[in-house]
Amino acid sequence: MRFALDSSHEDFASSIDALLAKSDMPAVIRAWSAGDTGPGLKVWQRLAEIGLGGLLVGEDHDGVGADAVDLVVAVEQLGRHAVPGPVVDTVAVAPVLLAAAAPDRLPALTSGALATVAAAPDVPFAVDADVADLVLHVDGSAVSVGTPGQPRESVDPARRLFPVSAGESLGEADFGAAFDLGALATAAQLQGLGRTLLERTTEYAQQRRQFGRAIGSFQAVKHHLAEVAVALEMARPLLHGAALSVRDGLPQASRDVSAAKVACGDAAYRAARTALQVHGAIGYTREHDLSLWLTKVRALVTAWGTPGVHRARIVDALEAS
């Protein structure tokens, strides 16, 4: 396997990063959390204009026809900027489910429609069903239009969680493949979140002074930041390797996805804990932008399969090999 991204992937990542950098993302996230989704939906529309919504949609349905490697590249950038909304469901999961169950609905995704999915037991709630254009309910292989119930609170104020009941039947799809893509995309999101936390914490450590010195010059702080950097870099080949396994349809793809989800989740969580420790009391306040990344990491660590679920999948796969 070749893990290095080529120039086209790097250019794609840079274009998404540049687009998102033009928005005041902390303001967008706070507005979304308060129920004002207008600024966030404008961001999503701009992302749709560069093909993100139709990334995994085939060209025969006006999509890009990209693969799992492109997915990881794109979603990592969305994670870096903590983009609110049903990221994984819209970009990764819904295209796979609709391609099998209701292909006539695929062009809506390429036009900027948001989709969200609920599939018990590992995905019990749909994210932001109140703003999604399409809510899907999955029971085994049966895919239906979902009807959202009353929202539940999330540790991330920018994620509203809805129980969903089944409505109009759309058809059948392989949810196993969709779940793998959902977990893979969540891992990429976590990797992006972790990178931003490391960058911002390193910058803060270089600026914050104690005893006449930048705290980043203290050996203990250096060690903590180095451990985060190593964890994120060690997770990266697992993430890219899992994307290649999914792209190539390898038999160990589910195992590789679970390994990536665990590694990226652990690395991002370490980044979050270190960010809190280095920032000190200010890092605990909701008024500080750091909180927007911290709460999303905490929510996504258990999204699309808890660490326990994915570790069990790895063990099962190894015992069966």
Side-chain angles (χ1 to χ4, degrees):
M1 286 187 177
R2 183 174 181 272
F3 292 97
L5 299 177
D6 60 29
S7 59
S8 66
H9 292 127
E10 293 171 351
D11 290 344
F12 184 38
S14 296
S15 67
I16 297 174
D17 180 48
L19 184 153
L20 294 174
K22 294 177 182 177
S23 301
D24 182 356
M25 198 55 65
V28 170
I29 299 167
R30 287 191 169 93
W32 190 282
S33 301
D36 178 10
T37 57
L41 292 176
K42 288 180 181 178
V43 171
W44 273 102
Q45 190 56 49
R46 290 195 289 270
L47 289 169
E49 289 169 1
I50 63 171
L52 192 69
L55 192 65
L56 296 190
V57 176
E59 295 179 3
D60 53 338
H61 290 288
D62 302 323
V64 177
D67 58 36
V69 177
D70 302 296
L71 172 71
V72 162
V73 169
V75 177
E76 182 175 343
Q77 293 303 316
L78 301 187
R80 283 196 66 204
H81 292 271
V83 173
V87 170
V88 169
D89 308 61
T90 298
V91 181
V93 180
V96 175
L97 295 176
L98 293 178
D104 58 304
R105 293 178 180 254
L106 285 170
L109 296 178
T110 67
S111 300
L114 298 183
T116 188
V117 180
D122 293 323
V123 192
F125 301 111
V127 177
D128 296 318
D130 54 336
V131 295
D133 301 282
L134 179 62
V135 179
L136 297 177
H137 177 276
V138 182
D139 184 4
S141 62
V143 182
S144 307
V145 174
T147 301
Q150 292 298 312
R152 310 286 180 87
E153 289 187 2
S154 168
V155 68
D156 177 7
R159 282 169 60 89
R160 289 181 289 277
L161 306 177
F162 291 80
V164 175
S165 57
E168 173 194 358
S169 175
L170 294 178
E172 295 192 348
D174 177 8
F175 185 68
F179 180 81
D180 280 349
L181 278 171
L184 179 66
T186 304
Q189 236 183 325
L190 285 161
Q191 179 75 2
L193 288 160
R195 283 181 59 197
T196 294
L197 285 168
L198 176 60
E199 291 167 3
R200 294 193 174 190
T201 305
T202 301
E203 181 180 356
Y204 180 80
Q206 292 170 342
Q207 297 173 350
R208 179 75 167 89
R209 300 182 69 82
Q210 285 185 347
F211 310 110
R213 298 168 55 189
I215 63 172
S217 66
F218 299 147
Q219 199 68 20
V221 174
K222 288 181 180 179
H223 283 169
H224 283 304
L225 294 174
E227 288 172 355
V228 173
V230 169
L232 288 168
E233 285 307 306
M234 293 296 288
R236 182 174 298 281
L238 292 175
L239 177 63
H240 291 169
L244 289 172
S245 291
V246 171
R247 183 197 68 183
D248 297 339
L250 300 182
Q252 71 270 23
S254 293
R255 181 202 67 190
D256 291 349
V257 166
S258 287
K261 177 63 164 56
V262 170
C264 290
D266 286 352
Y269 192 65
R270 179 184 289 270
R273 288 178 62 88
T274 300
L276 272 177
Q277 186 171 5
V278 172
H279 279 79
I282 193 173
Y284 287 86
T285 64
R286 286 195 173 185
E287 290 75 19
H288 197 284
D289 289 349
L290 186 72
S291 67
L292 306 176
W293 275 254
L294 294 176
T295 53
K296 193 167 292 294
V297 166
R298 186 64 188 88
L300 293 183
V301 164
T302 56
W304 287 91
T306 65
V309 165
H310 285 289
R311 286 189 170 94
R313 293 213 311 172
I314 295 169
V315 172
D316 290 344
L318 292 175
E319 288 180 344
S321 62

